[in-house]
Amino acid sequence: MTITPRVSVVIPVYNEGESIVRCLDRILREVLLPAEVLVVHDMPEDTTVPYAQEVARTDPRVRTVLNTYGRGPANAIRFGIDSAVAPVAVVTMADGSDDPRQIDDLARLVDRGVVVAAASRYMPGGQQVGGPRFKRMMSRWAGRTLHWFARVGTRDATNSFKAYDTDFVRTVGIESRTGFEIGLELTAKANRLRLPVAEIPTIWLDRQLGESRFDLGRFMPSYLKWYFFAYGRRLTADQIVARRGPASPAPADPTMEKENSASG
């Protein structure tokens, strides 16, 4: 009997190679809720794909998904959430920086009624280990000021490690097209809709393998756009939708996608 997933774990990847195996092993070991794990890649020749498909052959929870929305982490995350079967989507990175033991806890918060559940580095019990100093300072400052003045419900609005109500995401849409600002965008939209956001403490570790693709100078304008959007009067869902651009086409049927990716 097929068990319907309660959580879809979305992992955007870019040439992670064999290191994805360790990431997937941790997630598959620590996530106890019925789950699917979507490894979202931008191109068929991505070095992550053969290793992820090898894991998928022994664990049906894993599915490689070819992103057709355009290259880059924002598009990969958008495509992954749109492809999710479960009512909750958790976005996590492939580099080992996030703690997979917290995926269940984040998903359960959404089960209880919040639309965004954040893993927070900046609340009591949280910690950030490593990473560029200036980036850490900017992220902490943004998180604290949004928490104090916009009352967004989390001290870490910029962290990508979050769980989302997939119906909420599909209603408000994702406008980000460049980097990892999606976490901030969806937190800001939830705040303007006055929908509940919650957080749990996390310990974030700077990636040990590979190089980060985060470019602060390139992504800063988008972060600032959503930072300021978080402040303001209450909006309706229709008003949020009205400011969006044209919707992207829906991803292919998940079952067909799995068959296609497995044969690649």
Side-chain angles (χ1 to χ4, degrees), residues 7 11 15 51-52 56 60 78 122 136 141 158 173 178 182-183 209 212 214 221-222 231-232 243 246 251 264:
V7 57
I11 312 173
N15 287 339
Y51 294 101
R78 286 198 305 126
Y122 308 132
R136 294 201 316 265
W141 173 83
T158 63
T178 52
I182 285 175
L209 297 173
S212 172
F214 186 89
S222 298
Y231 297 86
R243 63 185 306 279

Side-chain angles (χ1 to χ4, degrees), residues 176-196:
S176 299
R177 297 292 185 272
T178 52
F180 297 95
E181 69 273 15
I182 285 175
L184 177 55
E185 174 187 343
L186 292 174
T187 303
K189 287 182 174 179
N191 193 54
R192 293 295 296 273
L193 289 168
R194 303 300 188 257
L195 293 174

Side-chain angles (χ1 to χ4, degrees), residues 2-261:
T2 303
I3 299 176
T4 302
R6 288 179 58 191
V7 57
S8 297
V9 182
V10 176
I11 312 173
V13 299
Y14 180 76
N15 287 339
E16 305 293 338
E18 190 175 4
S19 66
I20 193 63
V21 175
R22 185 165 65 176
C23 169
L24 291 174
D25 283 348
R26 287 173 176 166
I27 290 172
L28 295 171
R29 182 175 65 247
E30 301 295 349
V31 175
L32 303 181
L33 292 172
E36 62 171 355
V37 181
L38 308 181
V39 180
V40 188
H41 55 101
D42 289 347
M43 49 192 179
E45 64 271 22
D46 190 295
T47 63
T48 316
V49 174
Y51 294 101
Q53 290 181 347
E54 184 64 30
V55 175
R57 277 189 274 272
T58 59
D59 195 316
R61 290 176 291 176
V62 176
R63 178 155 59 98
T64 56
V65 180
L66 178 62
N67 161 35
T68 61
Y69 285 177
R71 293 193 176 188
N75 287 318
I77 293 170
R78 286 198 305 126
F79 192 89
I81 295 176
D82 281 349
S83 303
V85 172
V88 182
V90 176
V91 176
T92 187
M93 298 298 107
D95 57 13
S97 57
D98 302 323
D99 186 348
R101 294 175 299 177
Q102 298 180 303
I103 291 173
D104 283 354
D105 291 337
L106 291 168
R108 288 190 178 102
L109 280 173
V110 177
D111 278 344
R112 292 172 59 190
V114 307
V115 297
V116 179
S120 175
R121 299 162 289 183
Y122 308 132
M123 69 179 293
Q127 185 179 357
Q128 182 171 355
V129 180
R133 184 177 180 182
F134 181 69
K135 177 186 169 185
R136 294 201 316 265
M137 290 173 56
M138 292 296 294
S139 174
R140 184 181 293 270
W141 173 83
R144 286 182 171 177
T145 54
L146 286 170
H147 176 69
W148 291 336
F149 303 123
R151 298 187 178 182
V152 297
T154 174
R155 299 165 181 83
D156 199 350
T158 63
N159 195 0
S160 295
F161 188 25
K162 288 184 171 71
Y164 304 103
D165 180 311
T166 52
D167 284 342
F168 159 74
V169 177
R170 290 163 186 165
T171 296
V172 302
I174 296 173
E175 299 169 50
S176 299
R177 297 292 185 272
T178 52
F180 297 95
E181 69 273 15
I182 285 175
L184 177 55
E185 174 187 343
L186 292 174
T187 303
K189 287 182 174 179
N191 193 54
R192 293 295 296 273
L193 289 168
R194 303 300 188 257
L195 293 174
V197 175
E199 63 181 356
I200 60 173
T202 194
I203 297 177
W204 182 93
L205 304 176
D206 191 28
R207 68 181 297 157
Q208 301 299 309
L209 297 173
E211 297 182 359
S212 172
R213 291 190 293 148
F214 186 89
D215 184 337
L216 184 62
R218 178 186 170 198
F219 299 153
M220 181 64 76
S222 298
Y223 276 92
L224 288 174
K225 169 186 173 180
W226 295 113
Y227 175 88
F228 289 113
F229 180 78
Y231 297 86
R233 61 182 177 83
R234 181 173 185 168
L235 298 177
T236 65
D238 287 343
Q239 288 172 319
I240 291 283
V241 171
R243 63 185 306 279
R244 289 165 44 190
S248 299
D253 176 78
T255 304
M256 294 299 297
E257 184 70 37
K258 183 172 184 177
E259 291 175 356
N260 292 339
S261 61

